[in-house]
Amino acid sequence: MMKITCPFCGARNENEFHRGGEAHIARPQPSMDTSDDVWGEYLFFRDNPKGIIVERWRHTYGCGQWFNVTRDTVTHEIKAVYDIEAPKPAIDAQ
């Protein structure tokens, strides 16, 4: 079982959390000129890398807060946990 450190509650088992998808995705600006292809890309297509990924997580069965996690998809090692509004940290992809 993976341990996730909630920035508000400390280390907890992964079954207290829910993954909210890839973080730092820019929403297209609402406009009549925004094509269906652009919206489709935003809504349905995400990276699925083998290695480092930045994800949103929610401590559902705890404080209920959202935060970001930088995690290796191969080893599930968590490299960083940080505030949802903070910029993405520089992480070595070793």
Side-chain angles (χ1 to χ4, degrees):
M1 178 170 291
M2 194 167 53
K3 288 275 191 188
I4 300 173
T5 302
C6 173
F8 308 98
C9 305
R12 302 287 194 271
N13 290 331
E14 70 178 296
N15 59 356
E16 290 189 19
F17 300 88
H18 283 100
R19 184 181 173 278
E22 195 174 342
H24 304 289
I25 306 243
R27 180 185 175 102
Q29 293 299 316
S31 166
M32 295 302 288
D33 299 330
T34 305
S35 71
D36 289 343
D37 289 340
V38 170
W39 278 108
E41 189 76 24
Y42 168 73
L43 292 171
F44 301 112
F45 293 95
R46 296 290 181 260
D47 291 336
N48 188 18
K50 182 177 183 180
I52 303 296
I53 189 167
V54 181
E55 306 167 310
R56 295 174 299 160
W57 284 79
R58 181 173 183 241
H59 193 181
T60 309
Y61 297 108
C63 63
Q65 296 293 314
W66 285 94
F67 55 92
N68 290 333
V69 171
T70 302
R71 178 176 68 88
D72 189 317
T73 61
V74 176
T75 64
H76 296 292
E77 178 186 2
I78 294 176
K79 304 283 188 176
V81 175
Y82 59 99
D83 188 74
I84 197 87
E85 294 179 3
K88 185 175 4 178
I91 302 288
D92 277 339
Q94 299 175 357

